[in-house]
């Protein structure tokens, strides 16, 4: 009898232990949606990590408990009856709390590193009223958090969901993430869809920029003859600001040639840009494109990092471009040399 009781106890212990381990591996979300009453909330994922649809049913007070089995960090979308949604960064063994009320645009989600990180991003970006500002903030976020699981969702929301994909800018942001993050399911698929081949333009579009008085100017009006070197930079980018010393040396070297330099900042903050002009004592013409990384020039040339240099002739034909000032300087030397008269070359070739 004792032996039988002992075996039963062992079996029950194994069963309860197995259930406990199973529960520990589940993701659990406890939520309250104020004013929802008895309602249904759809749960789905952003990619193949959660490629199904679950349904959460709230009680009369709008509260619920939802759980699911996950293998890795997964952004889950909670879609409400009014078609609004919240994102929750779920993970195995993690328990989170969600509170949503009609006075807030987004639910308050607590629990887990990534939910807290996303909450900070939302708080800091509340005054970003343009696409350029928010994309610059995403850029800064990735620089500071290259391993963050929040990044794929930011790319989804502010690029794909917004319906305005700047291919070159999106690729440059992906490039700044860690190697581990580039293996993320969403990012790896996105990279494959974007591709990496891009045909380089031979003529720069005659786009409009603003001078220091914020008067609009066409690029074609900046260079009527000779050659023009355009430098894309930003006040917040220390590398591009350091390149100004090399540009000063290049300008002095070719002071007697038909050659000019113009800076184009992609700052979105006017005052910060003007302070940088004063601090760096820049003597050549300066312009700004307040579209930031969404600038048409950035998009046309596929610029991914600053500084970026474009050497053009009076017809805006691109002679050289890239991030190396040395390559531009070498090409400038060749382009500014007077070409020998073709007839004289023929005469010298005759016996």
């Amino acid at each position: 009898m004792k032996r039988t009781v002992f075996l039963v106890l062992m079996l029950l212990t194994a069963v309860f232990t197995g259930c406990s381990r199973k529960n520990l591996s589940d993701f659990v979300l406890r939520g309250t949606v104020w004013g929802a009453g008895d309602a249904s909330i759809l749960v789905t994922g952003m990619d193949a990590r959660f490629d199904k649809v679950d349904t959460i049913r709230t009680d009369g007070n709008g509260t619920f408990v939802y759980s699911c089995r996950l293998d890795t960090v997964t952004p889950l979308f909670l879609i409400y009856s009014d078609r609004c949604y919240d994102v929750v960064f779920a993970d195995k063994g993690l328990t989170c709390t969600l509170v949503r009320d009609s006075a807030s645009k987004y639910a308050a989600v607590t629990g887990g590193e990534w939910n807290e990180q996303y909450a900070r991003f939302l708080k800091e970006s509340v005054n970003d009223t343009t696409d350029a500002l928010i994309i610059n903030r995403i850029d800064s976020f990735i620089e500071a958090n290259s391993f963050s699981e929040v990044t794929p969702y930011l790319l989804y929301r502010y690029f794909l969901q917004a319906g305005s994909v700047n291919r070159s800018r999106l690729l440059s942001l992906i490039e700044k993430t860690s190697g581990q993050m580039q293996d993320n399911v969403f990012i790896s698929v996105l990279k494959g869809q974007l591709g990496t081949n891009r045909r380089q333009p031979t003529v720069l579009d005659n786009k409009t920029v603003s001078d220091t008085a914020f008067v609009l100017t066409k690029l074609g009006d900046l260079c009527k003859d000779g050659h023009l070197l355009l430098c894309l930079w930003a006040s917040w980018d220390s590398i591009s600001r350091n390149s100004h010393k090399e540009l000063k040396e290049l300008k002095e070297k070719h002071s007697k040639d038909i050659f000019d330099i113009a800076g184009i900042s992609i700052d979105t903050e006017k005052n910060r840009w003007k302070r940088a002009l004063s601090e760096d004592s820049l003597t050549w013409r300066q312009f700004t494109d307040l579209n930031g990384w969404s600038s048409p020039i950035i998009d046309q040339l596929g610029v991914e990092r600053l500084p970026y240099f474009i050497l053009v002739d009076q017809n805006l034909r691109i002679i050289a471009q890239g991030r190396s000032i040395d390559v531009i300087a070498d090409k400038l030397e060749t382009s500014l040399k007077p070409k020998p008269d073709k007839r004289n070359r023929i005469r010298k070739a005759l016996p």
Side-chain angles (χ1 to χ4, degrees), residues 199-204 300 312 315-319 321:
R199 184 178 179 182
Q200 289 292 336
T202 56
V203 178
L204 186 64
Q300 183 197 7
V312 298
N315 298 313
L316 292 182
R317 183 175 62 87
I318 298 174
I319 299 170
Q321 63 176 311

Side-chain angles (χ1 to χ4, degrees), residues 87-343:
V87 62
V88 176
F89 294 91
D91 198 3
K92 57 183 178 182
L94 177 66
T95 297
C96 293
T97 301
L98 177 147
V99 178
R100 179 183 178 87
D101 60 57
S102 57
S104 302
K105 188 175 181 180
Y106 305 105
V109 181
T110 55
E113 176 185 0
W114 311 124
N115 290 304
E116 293 173 4
Q117 205 172 73
Y118 180 57
R120 287 196 300 271
F121 180 90
L122 290 177
K123 182 177 179 180
E124 293 167 358
S125 64
V126 68
N127 294 320
D128 293 341
T129 55
T130 67
D131 290 342
L133 285 173
I134 196 69
I135 291 173
N136 286 346
R137 186 172 298 281
I138 293 172
D139 187 287
S140 299
F141 176 87
I142 295 175
E143 287 277 7
N145 308 279
S146 60
F147 289 87
S148 177
E149 293 286 347
V150 178
T151 295
Y153 173 68
L154 294 179
L155 299 182
Y156 169 85
R157 176 182 171 184
Y158 294 104
F159 282 85
L160 303 188
Q161 195 178 45
S164 55
V165 178
N166 182 320
R167 176 187 175 280
S168 61
R169 188 69 187 111
L170 189 49
L171 283 172
S172 71
L173 290 173
I174 291 173
E175 186 179 315
K176 290 185 177 183
T177 63
S178 67
Q180 174 184 324
M181 186 50 54
Q182 293 196 33
D183 291 333
N184 172 276
V185 173
F186 177 80
I187 288 182
S188 60
V189 171
L190 184 58
K191 284 173 62 179
Q193 292 176 343
L194 291 172
T196 55
N197 296 323
R198 184 187 184 101
R199 184 178 179 182
Q200 289 292 336
T202 56
V203 178
L204 186 64
D205 290 344
N206 193 18
K207 298 297 183 182
T208 301
V209 290
S210 301
D211 63 15
T212 52
F214 300 102
V215 175
L216 297 179
T217 306
K218 290 281 190 179
L219 292 180
D221 296 333
L222 302 182
C223 184
K224 296 297 185 181
D225 51 17
H227 293 74
L228 175 68
L229 177 59
L230 297 169
C231 172
L232 297 176
W233 68 288
S235 66
W236 42 262
D237 184 74
S238 59
I239 298 177
S240 63
R241 291 183 68 171
N242 289 337
S243 70
H244 288 154
K245 181 180 178 181
E246 295 174 294
L247 287 176
K248 289 178 182 178
E249 295 173 354
L250 191 64
K251 185 172 176 61
E252 291 173 2
K253 181 177 181 180
H254 295 283
S255 59
K256 296 182 180 180
D257 295 315
I258 306 176
F259 166 67
D260 203 359
I261 297 176
I264 300 178
S265 163
I266 62 169
D267 277 89
T268 57
E269 297 180 16
K270 300 176 183 178
N271 293 333
R272 183 171 178 173
W273 168 56
K274 284 201 167 185
R275 281 199 305 270
L277 295 181
S278 176
E279 291 169 359
D280 295 355
S281 302
L282 302 181
T283 57
W284 51 89
R285 292 176 294 175
Q286 293 293 332
F287 302 87
T288 183
D289 186 336
L290 296 175
N291 290 303
W293 279 110
S294 298
S295 162
I297 302 172
I298 295 286
D299 188 44
Q300 183 197 7
L301 299 176
V303 177
E304 298 178 354
R305 292 185 180 180
L306 299 176
Y308 198 84
F309 308 101
I310 313 105
L311 181 64
V312 298
D313 63 13
Q314 63 269 28
N315 298 313
L316 292 182
R317 183 175 62 87
I318 298 174
I319 299 170
Q321 63 176 311
R323 299 189 66 236
S324 171
I325 192 65
D326 293 331
V327 172
I328 298 293
D330 292 343
K331 191 66 177 179
L332 191 59
E333 288 281 352
T334 304
S335 300
L336 291 177
K337 285 182 180 179
K339 296 180 180 179
D341 186 78
K342 185 177 181 180
R343 289 173 297 179

Side-chain angles (χ1 to χ4, degrees), residues 34-50:
W34 295 109
D38 293 314
S40 295
I41 303 171
L42 298 181
V43 182
T44 189
M46 189 175 71
D47 50 51
R49 285 172 289 179
F50 193 89

Side-chain angles (χ1 to χ4, degrees), residues 58-79:
T58 61
D59 63 16
N61 297 318
T63 62
F64 66 86
V65 177
Y66 168 75
S67 65
C68 63
R69 178 64 59 85
L70 299 171
D71 295 323
T72 185
V73 179
T74 305
L76 297 181
F77 294 165
L78 273 66
I79 305 172

